[in-house]
Amino acid sequence: MMARSVLITFVGLLVLCFSETLAKAEYLKYKDPKQPLNVRIKDLLGRMTLEEKIGQMVQIERANASADVMKQYFIGSVLSGGGSAPSKQASAKDWVHMVNKIQEAALSTRLGIPMIYGIDAVHGHNNVYNATIFPHNIGLGATRDPQLLKRIGAATALEVRATGIPYAFAPCIAVCRDPRWGRCYESYGEDHTIVQAMTEIIPGLQGDVPANIRKGVPYVAGKNNVAACAKHFVGDGGTTKGINENNTVVDGHGLFSIHMPAYYNSIIKGVATVMVSYSSINGEKMHANKKLVTDFLKNTLHFKGFVISDWQGIDKITTPPHANYTYSILASVNAGVDMIMVPYNYTEFIDGLTYLVKNNAIPISRIDDAVKRILRVKFVMGLFENPLADLSLINELGKQEHRELAREAVRKSLVLLKNGKLPNQPLLPLPKKAPKILVAGTHANDLGNQCGGWTMEWQGLTGNNLTSGTTILTAIKDTVDPETEVVFHDNPNAEFLQTHQFSYAIVVVGEHPYAETNGDSLNLTIPEPGPETIKNVCGAVKCVVVVISGRPVVLQPYIDSIDAVVAAWLPGTEGKGISDVLFGDYGFTGKLSQTWFKSVDQLPMNFGDAHYDPLFPFGFGLTTQPVKA
């Protein structure tokens, strides 16, 4: 009897072990890269609870992404807001370790769905210490060089991946119709054809779409590429008076012929995600606009990636923001927003969305659509096969080849607006050999000023200790003849100028860094002491004024006193791109992608308008020939 009961126990144990092994070895189609994409999505979706689905739709700030939070709420995505880094001056290695730690928490959940980490790499990997900072988009638009944009995209992707991050919230494909807008520098120009051409940055970031892929399906080539994000859908550059996040008043023709075309190119190029704009179209908030987000973007354009909200974007559906959060969740999710950027109040969002689904205010089919799209992007990116970053790319961050590329971009972005008081007496290119020259202005020796907003911090910083790069002053000193004496004074007075004999002066002035609403300006003047420096220096010495700005600014009444004017936009870390062209190692080739107005009273004013009477028209740019050594 005893032997029999032992045998039964033994057999029972065997069966138990066998069934456990079977369960462990259960074939999970979604984990098999050989399975077709849609089979993997369907298999995984079928295994998910409502909690797990809603977790996928949530993107939280890095500071909140503890292991416990990731596991408890099945969080699908994490981001770094502007300036949100693991530590001050964090290295690529520090970033990789932080991202992997968060990822490990996501992978330890029941289904092991990897999270996707996103960051605003909008002009290079601009939140990260030591990264290459490229010119902002307005300067890149002036290059008229889509292939350059593609190379910048590829370099940026490598630097972002160097820090373990697979997703960049770029490019901004806004069409800036009014330079009073604080985000105008994030636009490639006022003309949609330029913006369309510059979407070539997308295959740079993501890789070239294979010929056989269906249009509208997201595509990311591999571990050296990142998922891109076309933003901000749609009409963000057309708001009344350029007021950020405001209302764009536009008829159907204007919407589809000016603001929408670059989205067609982006979708054809396989862009993985689209971010919704804070702004409204004819009074309707884009975050609640089902007609444009679902009916047009998803159903008409067949966009198959995911749609993401902007930072706390759904809160702003109501005035004041967050006034009726349940309504904001309902309106945005039903409009077709798939992933919600809720940096801080994620539990409130999760509870609200769960309640709305359980009470049939949001159909489960809408949740499934959102989750399918998010999973599609994760599968396409290879996140399931390679969820953790390694250290193999850390030397890509800020590497010399990327800095050379940024320097080339600076050269090509410079627009020469004036060259000499008389047509036959040009000032530029400047001679490298001169007894003594003056470099003046608030922006000549300030790396932060030349990088602008979205650099290390959300609003940018002034000064030279934000990251590594070359100021314009350093670039000039490195370029002129060793015998030439370079005198720097940020704001010289008349007495100082009389006591020196300068061969010529380079005055570098412009706007201070800003981002978004902080940059909205109704006067567009160069802040003091810029105008004073121009008046003092150009009244006493032959001068070239280099304007560092995110858009055209007021140049009247001092333009007549200036010998030469260069629009240098926001060039980034590589100041040598400016000295390369000022001294004639390369010629000026850039063309305005924004109309340069005479007075702000003319705004908005775009090429083709009946009242078009600019100081310098759209497409303007003088050229010079390189000096033969």
Side-chain angles (χ1 to χ4, degrees):
M1 192 69 184
M2 178 85 177
R4 194 169 158 214
S5 67
V6 168
L7 188 66
I8 290 169
T9 310
F10 180 66
V11 171
L13 277 172
L14 263 183
V15 170
L16 197 67
C17 290
F18 187 62
S19 59
E20 264 190 38
T21 311
L22 261 183
K24 274 186 186 149
E26 186 202 348
Y27 171 61
L28 303 171
K29 281 184 181 171
Y30 77 90
K31 290 197 168 175
D32 181 358
K34 294 190 183 71
Q35 286 290 344
L37 179 60
N38 286 336
V39 171
R40 297 180 78 183
I41 294 168
K42 193 177 168 189
D43 180 65
L44 179 49
L45 192 71
R47 296 170 188 275
M48 293 171 77
T49 62
L50 179 62
E51 269 182 304
E52 286 165 331
K53 288 175 182 178
I54 286 174
Q56 283 303 301
M57 296 171 66
V58 178
Q59 184 180 62
I60 66 174
E61 219 291 321
R62 173 197 70 77
N64 294 319
S66 68
D68 287 346
V69 168
M70 297 303 292
K71 287 184 228 177
Q72 188 180 341
Y73 298 104
F74 309 103
I75 301 294
S77 185
V78 177
L79 86 153
S80 274
S84 174
S87 59
K88 203 163 171 55
Q89 301 191 357
S91 67
K93 205 179 274 185
D94 296 334
W95 279 92
V96 168
H97 290 321
M98 176 198 70
V99 174
N100 279 350
K101 205 172 150 191
I102 298 170
Q103 186 66 281
E104 280 159 3
L107 296 174
S108 72
T109 53
R110 182 178 77 93
L111 294 167
I113 304 172
M115 65 91 197
I116 180 171
Y117 197 106
I119 196 164
D120 282 285
V122 294
H123 62 139
H125 199 8
N126 47 267
N127 277 292
V128 174
Y129 187 73
N130 219 5
T132 308
I133 307 293
F134 291 91
H136 267 298
N137 289 357
I138 190 168
L140 298 180
T143 68
R144 301 294 199 277
D145 188 343
Q147 287 309 305
L148 172 71
L149 268 284
K150 188 174 182 179
R151 287 154 57 211
I152 288 171
T156 301
L158 284 169
E159 297 209 9
V160 173
R161 282 286 194 171
T163 56
I165 297 171
Y167 178 25
F169 306 127
C172 175
I173 54 171
V175 182
C176 176
R177 303 293 285 176
D178 192 326
R180 292 174 292 187
W181 185 37
R183 303 192 82 151
C184 199
Y185 65 74
E186 295 186 55
S187 166
Y188 296 111
E190 72 182 46
D191 180 72
H192 68 88
T193 57
I194 291 176
V195 181
Q196 287 180 273
M198 297 305 160
T199 59
E200 202 51 27
I201 194 168
I202 292 169
L205 290 162
Q206 297 193 154
D208 284 307
V209 175
N212 58 354
I213 200 168
R214 268 185 36 233
K215 296 285 175 271
V217 175
Y219 178 76
V220 181
K223 287 201 280 186
N224 291 352
N225 297 91
V226 294
C229 179
K231 67 185 192 184
H232 307 89
F233 187 82
V234 58
D236 49 343
T239 58
T240 304
K241 292 188 180 169
I243 298 168
N244 190 42
E245 304 184 9
N246 207 20
N247 188 30
T248 298
V249 179
V250 66
D251 61 12
H253 176 72
L255 177 64
F256 292 106
S257 66
I258 296 169
H259 298 286
M260 196 66 84
Y263 285 94
Y264 309 151
N265 301 72
S266 302
I267 290 164
I268 287 167
K269 289 171 185 178
V271 76
T273 71
V274 169
M275 186 184 290
V276 185
S277 180
Y278 287 125
S279 55
S280 306
I281 295 275
N282 301 327
E284 186 176 356
K285 291 276 188 187
M286 277 306 309
H287 275 78
N289 194 320
K290 183 171 187 283
K291 256 215 261 350
L292 286 171
V293 176
T294 295
D295 301 348
F296 191 74
L297 177 66
K298 290 180 172 181
N299 297 344
T300 304
L301 297 185
H302 305 297
F303 172 63
K304 294 280 186 275
F306 68 78
V307 175
I308 186 168
S309 84
D310 208 332
W311 177 277
Q312 297 177 329
I314 73 166
D315 301 48
K316 299 188 183 189
I317 289 172
T318 58
T319 310
H322 208 84
N324 182 345
Y325 199 54
T326 307
Y327 171 73
S328 292
I329 297 169
L330 178 74
S332 58
V333 175
N334 275 343
V337 183
D338 302 310
M339 184 179 280
I340 319 290
M341 202 185 281
V342 270
Y344 308 119
N345 61 315
Y346 54 93
T347 54
E348 185 188 5
F349 172 79
I350 290 167
D351 293 345
L353 182 53
T354 306
Y355 172 84
L356 288 164
V357 175
K358 287 188 170 164
N359 287 277
N360 302 320
I362 294 176
I364 193 71
S365 58
R366 172 73 271 273
I367 301 298
D368 287 350
D369 170 58
V371 178
K372 271 181 202 162
R373 290 167 176 277
I374 292 161
L375 295 178
R376 181 177 292 122
V377 170
K378 290 181 177 185
F379 280 124
V380 160
M381 290 171 72
L383 267 185
F384 281 80
E385 285 68 58
N386 295 298
L388 296 169
D390 56 39
L391 300 175
S392 61
L393 294 174
I394 56 171
N395 294 331
E396 296 290 336
L397 189 73
K399 79 170 180 185
Q400 196 51 39
E401 291 92 323
H402 297 167
R403 293 188 181 275
E404 290 301 329
L405 175 62
R407 181 174 173 178
E408 176 191 342
V410 175
R411 289 197 293 264
K412 291 178 171 176
S413 69
L414 303 177
V415 181
L416 182 56
L417 298 175
K418 181 180 180 181
N419 191 13
K421 286 181 179 164
L422 296 168
N424 56 349
Q425 290 172 14
L427 179 65
L428 301 173
L430 297 167
K432 290 181 186 177
K433 209 175 174 69
K436 184 164 32 169
I437 66 170
L438 172 66
V439 179
T442 47
H443 289 50
N445 189 34
D446 194 308
L447 196 61
N449 281 348
Q450 79 190 39
C451 287
W454 287 113
T455 309
M456 299 312 295
E457 299 281 344
W458 174 40
Q459 292 293 330
L461 296 159
T462 53
N464 287 331
N465 50 7
L466 75 161
T467 189
S468 48
T470 306
T471 66
I472 297 164
L473 176 64
T474 303
I476 291 166
K477 286 178 172 173
D478 288 351
T479 305
V480 295
D481 188 87
E483 303 292 299
T484 298
E485 187 189 346
V486 179
V487 176
F488 171 64
H489 195 308
D490 58 356
N491 188 23
N493 59 21
E495 191 190 349
F496 176 87
L497 290 155
Q498 278 157 8
T499 55
H500 291 267
Q501 288 299 110
F502 293 115
S503 307
Y504 57 81
I506 301 168
V507 178
V508 192
V509 292
E511 297 187 299
H512 297 302
Y514 56 80
E516 299 188 45
T517 306
N518 288 10
D520 287 356
S521 168
L522 291 176
N523 60 33
L524 294 178
T525 49
I526 294 170
E528 289 292 357
E532 185 191 4
T533 309
I534 293 172
K535 201 170 94 204
N536 290 347
V537 176
C538 299
V541 191
K542 269 195 303 193
C543 75
V544 52
V545 172
V546 178
V547 181
I548 303 292
S549 68
R551 52 201 162 185
V553 287
V554 174
L555 289 180
Q556 305 282 46
Y558 21 82
I559 186 137
D560 292 340
S561 68
I562 303 170
D563 295 276
V565 183
V566 177
W569 315 113
L570 298 168
T573 50
E574 305 313 304
K576 283 189 175 170
I578 292 174
S579 56
D580 282 342
V581 185
L582 286 180
F583 294 98
D585 291 329
Y586 294 82
F588 279 93
T589 56
K591 304 288 176 205
L592 288 180
S593 63
Q594 283 293 148
T595 295
W596 206 294
F597 57 88
K598 288 176 179 167
S599 145
V600 287
D601 302 336
Q602 299 172 295
L603 300 174
M605 175 175 68
N606 299 108
F607 181 69
D609 288 351
H611 68 290
Y612 198 69
D613 180 28
L615 186 61
F616 301 106
F618 171 83
F620 180 81
L622 302 171
T623 54
T624 58
Q625 290 306 310
V627 177
K628 295 281 178 280

